[in-house]
Amino acid sequence: MYVDYSRNNFSSSIPLYIGNSLSLDFFSLGNNRLTGIIPESICNASYLQVLDFSNNALSGTIPPCLLEHITNLGVLNLGNNKLHGVIPDAFPTGSSLQTLDLSENKLQGRLPKSLVNCDLLEVLNVGNNRLVDSFPSILMNSSSLRVLVLRSNGFYGDFQCDATSNSWHNLQIIDIASNKFTGELGAECLSNWKGMMAADDYIESGHNHIQYRFLQLSNLYYQDTVTITNKGMEMKLVKILRVYTSIDFSSNRFQGVIPDMDGNLSALYVLNLSHNSLEGPIPKSIGKLQMLGSLDLSSNQISGEIPVELENLTFLSVLNLSFNKLFGRIPSGNQFQTFSAISFKGNRGLCGFPLNNSCESNGPDLTPPPTSQDDSDFDWKFIFAAVGYLVGAANTIALLWFYEPVKIWFDIRMEKCLLWFSTM
């Protein structure tokens, strides 16, 4: 019923007949060095609830029967292999799937529309593939989704949400970084994500992280993992705690202003909106996100002063506001004393600690000095005089060079001058 061969050094291929005699609930070959393809015989293991072939070197395509025939499958983890082709559009109605991890492969095409049949889906991770598709609005009505990772693909278009529905109210991690999403970020989208708001209903032991329980009469469960980017580094969460919340919209093409969060996402821990084209001021409401530990707004067009309300973020350990158009004095309270100049570089208008420039003169002047009317008139007069001189000189030279009588007269006079100089 339970076979776990993970974390060994198996380097062969999976036997093609392996599924013919399996009546397993749990089967894991993860974290080995297996090569070859996923054998279609695995589809005969119709009792499977957890199938984990992640972190190997498997190639080939995903067998469609894997999704069609194993109706009890709750966890399918094929992440970090060398699979190619498209994701089969074969998710059956009433699917039991709760975790689908196909990340870090070479999959192409679109997300299958039949994903809408996965009413129980909690974790969807297709990051680091070659998918090209619009935002998966087909999943917006999902009330179970907790983790959505579309990172490093070719997704494009507007970031869509339904402000009128209670969609994604359990969402706690969303990572759509390094795609081609455009448009503006609406505050109405964020206000629905109750999974990022303070809650005390997961304190009980065994319910504080995302897991899939199988063999209901036992205490066995599959523990979901996900790789996220935090503090500028990739981190693997071996346990996805329900209290861990993250929004990563970095390296896209979002425009407009940063939405006013109004403190709704009071349990948010990571917010990364860097490398976009966002403008306007930093909302003061970010100072109400009291659990925020990492804030990255770098490489945008954000202007204005840094709100003093950010001093209220006493858990903030990472701050990056570099390469924007911020100006004024850097707040000096609480956590701001711990950040280095790197957090603020590329903002010529900022002053104060930890930068070297003083705020006594209100920081460096970013505007060019005004040009008076007299100076302007002088410049134009000088330009017109120079042009007139050049035109006159050109006319004189042309007359001497091309008009024959004048040229003869000039030659005679030059000969007399030279003769006079030679006799001196």
Side-chain angles (χ1 to χ4, degrees):
M1 298 173 70
Y2 180 95
V3 174
D4 187 354
Y5 288 158
S6 64
R7 294 177 176 84
N8 284 285
N9 289 314
F10 296 131
S11 57
S12 60
S13 60
I14 303 174
L16 297 180
Y17 54 83
I18 193 169
N20 294 334
S21 58
L22 287 180
S23 57
L24 299 175
D25 290 279
F26 182 102
F27 187 32
S28 176
L29 299 174
N31 292 279
N32 282 286
R33 294 180 290 167
L34 297 171
T35 58
I37 65 171
I38 300 174
E40 291 195 7
S41 67
I42 199 69
C43 302
N44 297 328
S46 57
Y47 295 103
L48 267 179
Q49 295 183 48
V50 176
L51 180 63
D52 187 347
F53 288 169
S54 63
N55 300 303
N56 282 287
L58 299 174
S59 57
T61 60
I62 302 173
C65 63
L66 193 59
L67 308 175
E68 294 173 340
H69 295 170
I70 308 180
T71 57
N72 296 321
L73 197 62
V75 174
L76 177 60
N77 190 347
L78 305 177
N80 195 18
N81 279 287
K82 299 179 181 180
L83 301 174
H84 60 83
V86 301
I87 303 173
D89 194 3
F91 296 91
T93 303
S95 171
S96 302
L97 201 64
Q98 291 188 22
T99 296
L100 178 62
D101 190 340
L102 305 176
S103 61
E104 298 185 61
N105 280 286
K106 301 178 182 180
L107 298 172
Q108 300 174 325
R110 299 173 176 268
L111 282 178
K113 293 183 179 180
S114 59
L115 268 175
V116 74
N117 296 327
C118 303
D119 297 329
L120 304 177
L121 193 64
E122 292 190 0
V123 178
L124 175 60
N125 188 351
V126 293
N128 291 280
N129 277 287
R130 301 173 183 177
L131 301 174
V132 178
D133 200 354
S134 58
F135 188 78
S137 55
I138 57 173
L139 300 177
M140 290 304 299
N141 293 327
S142 172
S143 60
S144 59
L145 194 65
R146 293 186 176 276
V147 177
L148 176 63
V149 180
L150 308 178
R151 185 183 190 89
S152 298
N153 278 285
F155 287 95
Y156 60 89
D158 291 346
F159 173 71
Q160 302 175 8
C161 70
D162 187 356
T164 62
S165 68
N166 198 20
S167 61
W168 290 1
H169 63 266
N170 282 320
L171 190 69
Q172 64 179 81
I173 296 176
I174 179 170
D175 185 350
I176 60 174
S178 302
N179 281 288
K180 300 177 182 178
F181 287 116
T182 57
E184 299 185 1
L185 301 175
E188 65 276 3
C189 299
L190 309 182
S191 62
N192 286 332
W193 299 346
K194 296 180 181 179
M196 300 185 187
M197 303 177 188
D200 299 321
D201 53 348
Y202 299 123
I203 298 178
E204 303 174 15
S205 177
H207 296 282
N208 60 356
H209 64 278
I210 298 177
Q211 57 185 242
Y212 176 77
R213 288 188 174 274
F214 59 97
L215 297 177
Q216 296 299 324
L217 298 179
S218 71
N219 291 322
L220 296 174
Y221 62 86
Y222 178 84
Q223 188 168 281
D224 291 289
T225 63
V226 67
T227 299
I228 55 95
T229 300
N230 185 20
K231 303 180 181 180
M233 299 180 294
E234 285 194 350
M235 298 170 48
K236 185 172 183 178
L237 301 180
V238 295
K239 275 190 178 181
I240 307 177
L241 297 176
R242 293 180 187 265
V243 296
Y244 186 89
T245 54
S246 173
I247 296 176
D248 192 342
F249 288 177
S250 62
S251 300
N252 279 285
R253 301 173 184 177
F254 289 117
Q255 299 175 327
V257 299
I258 301 173
D260 191 347
M261 299 181 184
D262 198 25
N264 285 333
L265 307 180
S266 54
L268 184 62
Y269 181 70
V270 175
L271 178 60
N272 190 346
L273 303 178
S274 65
H275 294 87
N276 282 286
S277 298
L278 299 172
E279 54 189 9
I282 299 174
K284 296 179 180 179
S285 58
I286 291 182
K288 298 180 180 180
L289 308 181
Q290 307 220 346
M291 299 302 296
L292 200 63
S294 177
L295 175 62
D296 191 345
L297 305 177
S298 62
S299 299
N300 279 285
Q301 302 295 320
I302 301 171
S303 57
E305 298 183 353
I306 301 175
V308 295
E309 286 78 4
L310 297 190
E311 293 181 354
N312 298 328
L313 302 177
T314 54
F315 286 100
L316 196 64
S317 59
V318 175
L319 176 66
N320 192 349
L321 303 178
S322 62
F323 298 104
N324 279 289
K325 298 180 178 180
L326 299 169
F327 58 82
R329 183 186 297 271
I330 298 173
S332 56
N334 294 329
Q335 298 298 98
F336 276 82
Q337 294 291 327
T338 65
F339 301 130
S340 67
I342 296 176
S343 297
F344 309 100
K345 69 178 181 180
N347 295 278
R348 291 169 51 200
L350 287 178
C351 61
F353 181 84
L355 301 179
N356 294 326
N357 53 324
S358 171
C359 292
E360 294 179 359
S361 59
N362 295 325
D365 190 3
L366 297 180
T367 58
T371 303
S372 65
Q373 184 65 32
D374 294 340
D375 292 341
S376 178
D377 291 342
F378 173 79
D379 291 342
W380 282 109
K381 291 176 182 178
F382 178 80
I383 292 173
F384 284 131
V387 172
Y389 175 80
L390 291 175
V391 172
N395 288 335
T396 302
I397 294 174
L399 182 65
L400 293 176
W401 188 258
F402 296 105
Y403 189 51
E404 190 66 22
V406 174
K407 186 178 180 181
I408 294 174
W409 178 87
F410 183 77
D411 290 342
I412 294 173
R413 294 297 184 273
M414 286 297 296
E415 289 178 359
K416 289 183 177 181
C417 290
L418 292 175
L419 182 62
W420 182 75
F421 278 115
S422 63
T423 57
M424 289 183 63

